């Protein structure tokens, strides 16, 4: 375990997970927005933590963030068990929603990078309805392939010209974390990797009922919605997480 100057972190399989709650996270973002421009925040779960444990390169990416938030219930529960009483889940969709809620009064500007053009169009409509006054200064759906140097340069210039405060990155893990780390210091806002948050906010995916979220069962609800993609991941990483943390006690 180690202590940040502003918040505590709990080392889980070598990843420094912020022992924070939503209110504290929002306060930290507001206090540090200017100094954190060009930096990035990871929203970490069991899958990303086990992946980082297995990959020193990806672990360095996670630990290179100004914060690695406990998106997964098991991560915040682990932190509480190890002495961090205030640690709570801070999910990507919830964090994006809370920041957008504050944006009308703060004047924060937002850029959305990732997903499909169809989802971004739905997202644009939903944001206008749900968060009046929030400034969306750009949306971009990159191709599902590596960008050429020219495409990459044009994309980065587009984001710089838009001058957002928050750059929401929805490329999915581990791609989005690697993308953010590769662009650290090159963009004007703070980057936040929020996975499926675009789909949740656009209405493509339904959130689990609150009781399932509170019981750390949101993974099960997501599994029922997308079993083909998620079952192999859960079998590989969730079982390994249980083995590493509960049996081997790493």
């Amino acid at each position: 375990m180690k202590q940040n100057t502003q918040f505590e972190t709990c080392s889980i399989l070598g990843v420094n997970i912020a022992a924070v709650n939503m209110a504290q996270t929002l306060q930290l973002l507001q206090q540090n927005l200017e100094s954190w421009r060009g930096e990035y925040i990871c929203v970490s779960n069991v899958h990303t933590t086990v992946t980082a444990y297995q990959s020193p390169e990806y672990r360095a990416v996670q630990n290179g963030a100004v914060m690695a938030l406990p998106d997964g219930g098991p991560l915040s529960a682990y932190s509480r068990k190890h002495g961090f009483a205030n640690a709570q889940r801070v999910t990507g969709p919830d964090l994006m929603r809370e920041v957008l809620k504050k944006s009308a009064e703060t004047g924060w500007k937002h850029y959305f990078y990732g997903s499909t053009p169809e989802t971004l169009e739905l997202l644009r409509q939903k944001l206008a309805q749900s968060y009046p006054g929030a400034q969306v200064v750009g949306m971009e759906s990159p191709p599902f392939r590596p960008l050429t140097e020219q495409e990459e340069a044009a994309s980065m210039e587009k984001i710089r010209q838009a001058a957002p405060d928050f750059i929401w990155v929805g490329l999915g893990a581990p791609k989005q974390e690697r993308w953010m780390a590769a662009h650290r210091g090159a963009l004007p806002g703070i980057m936040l990797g929020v996975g499926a948050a675009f789909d949740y906010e656009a209405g493509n995916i339904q959130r689990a009922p609150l009781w399932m979220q509170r019981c750390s069962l949101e993974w099960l609800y997501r599994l029922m919605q997308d079993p083909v993609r998620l079952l192999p991941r859960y079998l590989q990483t969730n079982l390994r997480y249980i083995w590493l943390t509960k049996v081997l006690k790493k």
Side-chain angles (χ1 to χ4, degrees):
M1 318 296 174
K2 74 173 187 177
Q3 187 169 356
N4 187 283
T5 55
Q6 295 180 288
F7 57 91
E8 293 179 305
T9 62
C10 179
S11 178
I12 306 178
L13 301 182
V15 180
N16 300 319
I17 301 296
V20 294
N21 55 39
M22 179 63 77
Q24 187 179 1
T25 301
L26 292 170
Q27 183 180 39
L28 286 163
L29 282 173
Q30 197 150 9
Q31 290 174 344
N32 295 286
L33 180 59
E34 293 306 317
S35 61
W36 285 358
R37 289 184 184 276
E39 299 290 346
Y40 64 96
I41 289 176
C42 295
V43 180
S44 304
N45 54 30
V46 165
H47 172 65
T48 62
T49 304
V50 171
T51 302
Y53 174 78
Q54 297 169 327
S55 167
E57 172 268 331
Y58 186 58
R59 186 161 64 248
V61 167
Q62 287 274 328
N63 287 334
V66 290
M67 296 180 79
L69 294 169
D71 176 276
L75 302 187
S76 55
Y78 182 102
S79 296
R80 289 194 300 274
K81 183 178 178 181
H82 288 80
F84 300 94
N86 293 325
Q88 298 291 335
R89 261 188 103 193
V90 182
T91 73
D94 289 338
L95 178 60
M96 192 172 84
R97 187 173 299 119
E98 292 301 320
V99 171
L100 285 164
K101 283 180 184 177
K102 285 181 167 288
S103 295
E105 62 183 78
T106 58
W108 289 335
K109 296 181 290 184
H110 304 271
Y111 196 100
F112 296 84
Y113 184 89
S115 196
T116 65
E118 295 77 15
T119 295
L120 290 183
E121 182 53 37
L122 283 172
L123 180 61
R124 186 188 301 276
Q125 296 170 20
K126 295 284 187 177
L127 294 179
Q129 295 169 7
S130 302
Y131 311 101
Q135 297 183 59
V136 177
V137 295
M139 289 184 164
E140 184 175 354
S141 173
F144 289 91
R145 56 166 174 78
L147 273 64
T148 66
E149 288 187 16
Q150 293 81 2
E151 288 172 331
E152 182 73 17
S155 178
M156 294 304 99
E157 183 58 24
K158 184 179 176 182
I159 298 174
R160 283 191 286 267
Q161 288 294 327
D165 299 299
F166 292 89
I167 303 163
W168 303 98
V169 185
L171 298 174
K175 183 178 180 180
Q176 64 193 13
E177 289 81 23
R178 291 189 169 113
W179 186 91
M180 293 188 298
H183 296 91
R184 183 181 187 185
L187 295 173
I190 183 166
M191 297 170 277
L192 301 96
V194 290
F198 294 10
D199 284 304
Y200 281 124
E201 197 63 43
N204 291 340
I205 305 175
Q206 297 301 313
R207 289 293 299 273
L210 279 176
W211 72 266
M212 294 188 79
Q213 295 182 42
R214 289 169 181 154
C215 295
S216 297
L217 291 174
E218 190 162 14
W219 66 271
L220 180 59
Y221 192 83
R222 289 199 64 196
L223 178 61
M224 292 188 292
Q225 291 180 303
D226 192 1
V228 174
R229 184 176 68 89
L230 293 178
L231 183 58
R233 174 196 293 187
Y234 289 158
L235 287 175
Q236 292 170 13
T237 58
N238 288 30
L239 292 177
R240 186 160 178 77
Y241 176 84
I242 293 170
W243 172 259
L244 290 168
T245 59
K246 297 188 181 299
V247 179
L248 300 183
K249 299 187 184 300
K250 286 185 175 290

